[in-house]
Amino acid sequence: MFVLGFPNAIVLGVLAGILEFIPVVGWMTAAVTIVTAGVLTHSHWIWMLALLGVWRILMDYAIAPRVMGHELEIHPLLAIFALMVGGAVGGIVGIYLSVPLVAALRVVYRRFASPPAGATVSNSIVDSAEPRRETSVLA
């Protein structure tokens, strides 16, 4: 913001950082505040608006799904898909609940779809602890 000639760039940056923690409307409020300050002081507000748009696109579609996917061990595309389906089915509440629901379903799936006790996993094939009897088709 310093480069674009915004007054009180540090204050606006700190305010935007604090507002970022408020879900959904926080970043919008910060963007409106920053752009309004730019318009009122005749700064390069159009460039700041473009920068904020690029920042949101990067955060929403690149950085946040990777962070959520890495911490929750969910593929980033699954996180994006869960957010889209959650938004379509449940609106804003669905968006908030979609990724935790997918993470919980993943835990349940891993718990009940895990190999039996004493089994080993090698090359994606589950080998049982007891030896297999070989049977002939002809016998």
Side-chain angles (χ1 to χ4, degrees):
M1 284 192 268
F2 279 126
V3 174
L4 295 176
F6 276 72
N8 302 321
I10 294 175
V11 174
L12 288 172
V14 169
L15 178 67
I18 291 170
L19 288 174
E20 186 73 27
F21 286 106
I22 300 173
V24 181
V25 296
W27 72 268
M28 289 187 239
T29 306
V32 167
T33 304
I34 291 170
V35 171
T36 303
V39 168
L40 293 176
T41 59
H42 304 292
S43 301
H44 297 284
W45 64 273
I46 294 175
W47 289 106
M48 181 54 70
L49 185 65
L51 180 67
L52 289 172
V54 168
W55 174 254
R56 287 313 311 171
I57 289 170
L58 283 174
M59 284 297 293
D60 292 343
Y61 295 107
I63 297 169
R66 287 183 191 228
V67 169
M68 280 191 278
H70 177 69
E71 294 299 322
L72 298 175
E73 296 179 4
I74 297 173
H75 194 277
L77 290 177
L78 178 60
I80 292 172
F81 182 73
L83 288 171
M84 290 184 344
V85 169
V89 171
I92 294 198
V93 175
I95 290 172
Y96 286 124
L97 296 178
S98 61
V99 174
L101 179 66
V102 168
L105 289 174
R106 181 186 167 277
V107 168
V108 169
Y109 175 76
R110 286 235 170 143
R111 170 69 175 106
F112 292 112
S114 62
T120 60
V121 178
S122 61
N123 296 332
S124 299
I125 299 173
V126 178
D127 297 327
S128 179
E130 57 188 57
R132 293 173 38 187
R133 287 185 276 153
E134 295 192 25
T135 58
S136 172
V137 180
L138 300 175

